[in-house]
Amino acid sequence: PDVVDDVGATAVRPGGFVQTLGLRSYVSLPLMSAEGLVGTAVCGDVTRSRTWTPADRVLARRLALQGAVVVDNARLRELEQAHLRQLEHRAFHDQLTGLPNRAALLGALGDALDPVTGDGGVALLLIDLDGFKRVNDTLGHHSGDVLLQQVAVRLRELLPAGATGARLGGDELAVALAGPAADLAADLARAVHARLGEPYVIEGRTVRTGASVGIARAPRDATDTTGLLRAADEAMYRAKRAGDGPRTAR
């Protein structure tokens, strides 16, 4: 620590803290971390110069040491929190597309279907890419991964507020719609079917695929998550067989 009794008798940096604050005497405590100096804490008297006692100087050194511990602990907490956020993100997101994963979708459906926390109607779109296996077989798995990433970008662009888009695994995707957004299920399904059916460009090649979309609603088609997934799955397979657009659960 820098302990100064009389600023008038000491050289200080022009325009620095001491001059800016108008200090007559001051103590400057370096804030250290394991990596070096990270800052400085300055306190003092603006009314008069004073004589800092040996006890004051000992206290200043202790505070500087304790400040180093505080700084390092704060940085460790920040790193720990960042690591926890990263783990949580990985737990609920698909690593390839960045979309929420199955666990996140099931959580969103569970919340929406909860009679206490739910917000009105619930709809589920189940989406299966048509021709994805052909892309993998002819162009390779890397091209299949790129296709999934492009599909995820298009799906995000279509999602309204209150919707959760997810990758369930492989080439299967889903969208959960809660509250007022559930009323948009049919329109969204048609938009998804059209948009995901447009050509893709992968490494200079034009790739064409399609999307089969099944729609299920709660409480009309099911009252729980398992039933809603089953109903949407049945509708999606009927859409795949028909090949002409989305289908609604019977």
Side-chain angles (χ1 to χ4, degrees):
D2 190 12
V3 182
V4 175
D5 295 333
D6 184 359
V7 171
T10 305
V12 297
R13 185 170 66 86
F17 279 124
V18 174
Q19 289 188 353
T20 301
L21 297 175
L23 299 177
R24 300 286 301 277
S25 60
Y26 70 90
V27 175
S28 174
L29 302 176
L31 299 178
M32 305 296 293
S33 76
E35 299 175 355
L37 182 68
V38 296
T40 305
V42 179
C43 62
D45 198 326
V46 297
T47 61
R48 61 183 175 85
S49 59
R50 61 173 293 173
T51 300
W52 299 98
T53 67
D56 292 333
R57 297 171 185 272
V58 170
L59 178 60
R61 285 195 295 271
R62 289 178 178 173
L63 289 175
L65 290 172
Q66 291 173 0
V69 174
V70 171
V71 169
D72 277 339
N73 283 344
R75 288 191 166 190
L76 286 173
R77 284 195 296 272
E78 288 179 357
L79 290 172
E80 182 181 7
Q81 290 169 0
H83 183 58
L84 289 175
R85 287 193 296 269
Q86 185 180 46
L87 290 177
E88 183 178 7
H89 185 273
R90 288 181 178 178
F92 293 103
H93 286 80
D94 174 58
Q95 297 302 300
L96 176 64
T97 63
L99 289 171
N101 59 16
R102 178 181 289 272
L105 180 81
L106 295 178
L109 285 175
D111 291 341
L113 292 169
D114 190 292
V116 177
T117 61
D119 185 23
V122 180
L124 175 65
L125 308 185
L126 208 58
I127 307 159
D128 190 79
L129 298 181
D130 302 324
F132 177 75
K133 185 177 183 300
R134 183 183 68 251
V135 174
N136 265 344
D137 291 344
T138 58
L139 301 181
H141 290 284
H142 172 70
S143 294
D145 289 347
V146 174
L147 174 61
L148 287 171
Q149 290 169 342
Q150 293 188 18
V151 166
V153 171
R154 295 186 183 187
L155 183 63
R156 285 194 194 94
E157 293 171 350
L158 296 172
L159 295 180
T164 300
R167 181 189 178 202
L168 303 185
D171 61 343
E172 192 172 47
L173 306 155
V175 178
L177 300 137
D183 297 331
L184 306 174
D187 291 338
L188 179 60
R190 287 190 289 270
V192 168
H193 175 263
R195 184 74 176 100
L196 299 191
E198 295 175 4
Y200 301 84
V201 177
I202 300 176
E203 297 180 345
R205 297 189 180 188
T206 299
V207 175
R208 297 182 182 275
T209 184
S212 299
V213 186
I215 310 169
R217 302 174 185 272
R220 188 192 69 184
D221 303 315
T223 57
D224 60 11
T225 300
T226 301
L228 203 60
L229 285 166
R230 185 181 297 115
D233 193 59
E234 180 272 330
M236 184 270 292
Y237 276 105
R238 282 194 292 109
K240 186 176 287 290
R241 287 193 295 270
D244 57 358
R247 289 290 185 273
T248 301
R250 293 171 175 170

